[in-house]
Amino acid sequence: MTDQLLDQALVEEATKKSGLVWVRGLHVQGDGMSDGMPSQALWHVWHDGAVCLVGDGPGEQPLPGLVDGGGAVVTVRSKDKGGRLVSWSAKVVELAPGSEEWDAAVAELKGKRLNAPDGEAMPGRWARECRVLRLEPTGETASLPEGSLSAPPLATSATTRQAAPAGLPRLLFKKRRRA
């Protein structure tokens, strides 16, 4: 009983303090849960005993593999050092727009959303175009794995900046000659 209370306190405190969690959705199959998508970094808020997320809409974070009634594994990192602190199992609950739970979660998420393009109109856009999810802890924590679990990055259309042409510094910094 004491270990369970300590695990619950660790999950809550670590998740509250971390602005970013790694979430891996689990698919439900006939014989139980199986691994779904790879883990993905998501911003969140801790509200009313669960992680609240918004996404799957234009300009918002994608939430692949997270389906209502499904499961997820949440890994929380240290805000100071960036290392894994705890991994815990969660039940995914999609909140209905306009419900009391949705309004409370959106009020918390709105305060933490950085660089929103639409400011005060954001909750209306979320209601029309996005999903708001709660990841409710099931009480199960996983032991930390051995090794780094590093994996190659997921494929993306994002690109890095191209190298500057070799002659550019000469053009930018050449001294003007007096006539």
Side-chain angles (χ1 to χ4, degrees):
M1 182 66 174
T2 303
D3 287 345
Q4 187 178 11
L5 292 174
L6 289 174
D7 285 349
Q8 183 180 353
L10 174 62
V11 164
E12 184 171 340
E13 282 303 309
T15 309
K16 273 184 192 178
K17 291 183 179 182
S18 181
L20 187 71
V21 292
W22 291 87
V23 179
R24 180 172 42 108
L26 300 174
H27 294 145
V28 180
Q29 294 182 342
D31 58 350
M33 297 282 193
S34 68
D35 285 342
M37 303 291 289
S39 293
Q40 180 169 349
L42 300 172
W43 72 272
H44 72 286
V45 296
W46 181 267
H47 174 68
D48 200 23
V51 163
C52 294
L53 305 166
V54 64
D56 280 351
E60 300 297 340
Q61 62 192 351
L63 304 174
L66 298 176
V67 295
D68 190 25
V73 174
V74 180
T75 301
V76 183
R77 65 183 178 90
S78 165
K79 191 171 186 177
D80 297 335
K81 305 287 184 188
R84 277 188 307 263
L85 287 177
V86 65
S87 290
W88 49 277
S89 297
K91 176 184 173 194
V92 179
V93 177
E94 186 166 349
L95 302 177
S99 68
E100 188 175 317
E101 296 88 8
W102 188 90
D103 290 338
V106 165
E108 293 292 321
L109 287 162
K110 182 181 171 191
K112 298 289 183 179
R113 173 65 164 91
L114 301 176
N115 304 322
D118 49 0
E120 294 300 316
M122 187 169 35
R125 178 174 57 86
W126 286 351
R128 288 186 312 274
E129 303 171 358
C130 298
R131 296 190 309 146
V132 175
L133 304 177
R134 278 179 55 88
L135 304 183
E136 300 173 347
T138 62
E140 298 176 34
T141 57
S143 58
L144 292 177
E146 298 294 324
S148 70
L149 298 181
S150 64
L154 299 174
T156 178
S157 60
T159 61
T160 58
R161 190 176 71 165
Q162 300 293 323
L168 186 61
R170 242 180 306 140
L171 291 172
L172 294 175
F173 299 113
K174 73 178 182 180
K175 295 180 182 177
R176 295 184 187 189
R177 297 185 182 175
R178 294 181 190 220

